[in-house]
Amino acid sequence: MRGRAALTAVLLTLSACTTGPSLEDRGQVTAPPGDSRHLTIGSAGFTESDLLAQMYAQLLNRAGYRTSVLTVANRELYEPALESGQIDVVPEYAATFADWLAAKTHGADAPPAGSPDLGATMKALRALAEPRGLTVLPAGRAVDQNAFAVSADYAREHRLKTLSDLGASGLKVRLAAGDECVQRPYCAPGLKKVYGIDVTGVDPKGVGTTQAKRAVQDGRDQMVLTTTTDATLDQFGLVLLADDKHLQNADYVVPVVNRSRAGGTGVTKALGRLDDVLTTADLARLNEQVDSWRRLPADVARGYLTDKGLLK
C-alpha cells in the first residue's frame, strides 16, 4: 500500500507535465526497446478499460512477466506517467489518443490528428507518440466509436439499417445526446452534412445514459448517441444504425507502451495474441458481464481469454 501511495504521489506530480521528454532524457527516446520483467498496466477506471487492462496483464503473465494493474482515471495523469515509465502499458483508442497528443503537443487549437481512416490515424498517432518515448502497438479488430441507435420498431417501420437510410427517409429526428452534440462535427452537424439527416434538436440527456435510451424507447426522441460497445441496447429495444459513410473516427483499441521498459518483442507478441480474437461485439458482451451481471473484470477477462485458447 505504501508503494501504491508513493506511485500516486508521483502521478500527481507528473500531472503538471505537459511536454515530452526533456533534452536530458532524449537518449531514452532513441534507446533500444526495453524489456522490463515487471510491468505496471494502467487502466482509465471505466469498465472497458479495466477489462482491457486485465486482459493485458493476464497475457503478459502467461508470457513470463510479473504485472500489476493501476487505475488512474485521468489521461492528464496517466499519460505523463506512461512517458516516465511509472506506468508501462495502457489500453487506448487510436483516434482519441491521437487528437489528445496533438493538442498536448501543438496546443488546444491543433487540427485533429485522428480520422475515420485507421491507417492515417495510426501514422499520425505514432508520429506524435514516438518523440515522447511511446510505442503504439498494432490495432486489433475491436473499435469503440460513437454510434447511433433507434428503436427496433422504428427501424422496422421505416426500413432503416444504416444512417444513410435514415437520411434518405426524410424523417425528422430529435436526438438524445450530450449537449456538446450540437456543435461537434461527428454528432449533429455531421449527421446533417454527411447523411442529410434532419436533426430537429438535441435532447441533452448524455451519451448512452439510461435516460437517453428510455427517451428513444418511449418515442419522445427518435435516436440516441451511444457507443459501438454498448451492451444494453437490447434491454431498451434499440438497434444501431450502421455508420456506412464512416462519419466516426477510427477509435480502434491499441496498446500504448513505454518504449524503454516495454518496447521489446516479448510484450508486442504477448499482446498481439489478442489482435485477431477480440471483436467489438466481444467487448460489448464483456462490458455487459461486468456492468449488468456484476462480475469482476479480472474474472471476466480470464474467462474470455481461456475460452479463446489464449490462457492455459
Side-chain angles (χ1 to χ4, degrees):
M1 291 299 293
R2 285 194 298 270
R4 181 173 292 246
L7 181 53
T8 300
V10 171
L11 293 174
L12 289 170
T13 300
L14 286 169
S15 67
C17 175
T18 58
T19 61
S22 64
L23 289 174
E24 311 88 86
D25 298 331
R26 192 66 57 84
Q28 295 179 7
V29 178
T30 57
D35 193 30
S36 174
R37 306 310 294 177
H38 188 181
L39 301 173
T40 299
I41 317 301
S43 166
F46 56 93
T47 296
E48 190 168 291
S49 188
D50 290 343
L51 282 165
L52 290 165
Q54 289 293 338
M55 284 192 269
Y56 289 2
Q58 292 174 29
L59 288 170
L60 289 167
N61 288 342
R62 183 185 184 279
Y65 296 87
R66 289 191 303 126
T67 66
S68 56
V69 175
L70 179 66
T71 298
V72 185
N74 186 317
R75 191 177 276 115
E76 284 75 12
L77 289 176
Y78 73 67
E79 190 279 332
L82 184 62
E83 289 186 29
S84 71
Q86 298 295 324
I87 292 175
D88 304 303
V89 184
V90 169
E92 264 293 358
Y93 301 92
T96 295
F97 196 46
D99 286 347
W100 194 86
L101 285 181
K104 181 176 180 179
T105 303
H106 303 298
D109 295 330
S115 76
D117 185 310
L118 177 59
T121 295
M122 290 294 287
K123 182 178 180 180
L125 174 56
R126 285 173 168 147
L128 290 161
E130 287 173 6
R132 296 181 176 277
L134 306 180
T135 296
V136 181
L137 302 187
R141 299 168 61 192
V143 58
D144 188 348
Q145 298 170 303
N146 285 343
F148 297 92
V150 299
S151 74
D153 290 341
Y154 185 83
R156 279 192 297 269
E157 179 184 356
H158 299 289
R159 300 182 180 180
L160 306 176
K161 292 185 178 180
T162 69
L163 290 170
S164 287
D165 292 339
L166 182 56
S169 73
L171 293 165
K172 295 185 181 301
V173 174
R174 181 171 164 86
L175 176 62
D179 53 10
E180 69 278 3
C181 178
V182 173
Q183 296 181 330
R184 289 198 172 174
Y186 306 114
C187 201
L191 292 173
K192 294 177 182 179
K193 180 178 179 180
V194 175
Y195 289 106
I197 296 172
D198 187 3
V199 179
T200 59
V202 172
D203 187 3
K205 286 186 164 56
V207 179
T209 63
T210 296
Q211 293 85 352
K213 292 171 190 169
R214 282 180 177 161
V216 176
Q217 182 184 34
D218 297 343
R220 287 173 282 145
D221 297 330
Q222 287 71 51
M223 189 161 66
V224 59
L225 171 63
T226 182
T227 67
T228 52
T229 58
D230 188 333
T232 67
L233 295 178
D234 285 349
Q235 299 174 22
F236 296 90
L238 306 181
V239 294
L240 291 179
L241 295 181
D243 180 20
D244 53 309
K245 292 185 179 179
H246 307 292
L247 170 64
Q248 302 304 319
N249 278 348
D251 260 330
Y252 284 76
V253 174
V254 290
V256 182
V257 305
N258 177 286
R259 175 184 169 88
S260 66
R261 288 184 49 82
T265 58
V267 171
T268 300
K269 183 177 180 180
L271 298 184
R273 300 181 71 216
L274 201 57
D275 288 352
D276 294 330
V277 176
L278 185 66
T279 67
T280 304
D282 289 344
L283 262 183
R285 286 191 291 269
L286 298 177
N287 287 337
E288 182 182 27
Q289 291 181 42
V290 175
D291 290 336
S292 298
W293 304 359
R294 302 304 182 193
R295 295 186 61 195
L296 294 175
D299 294 340
V300 173
R302 186 176 300 107
Y304 177 78
L305 295 176
T306 301
D307 289 345
K308 295 298 183 180
L310 300 182
L311 292 183
K312 294 181 179 178

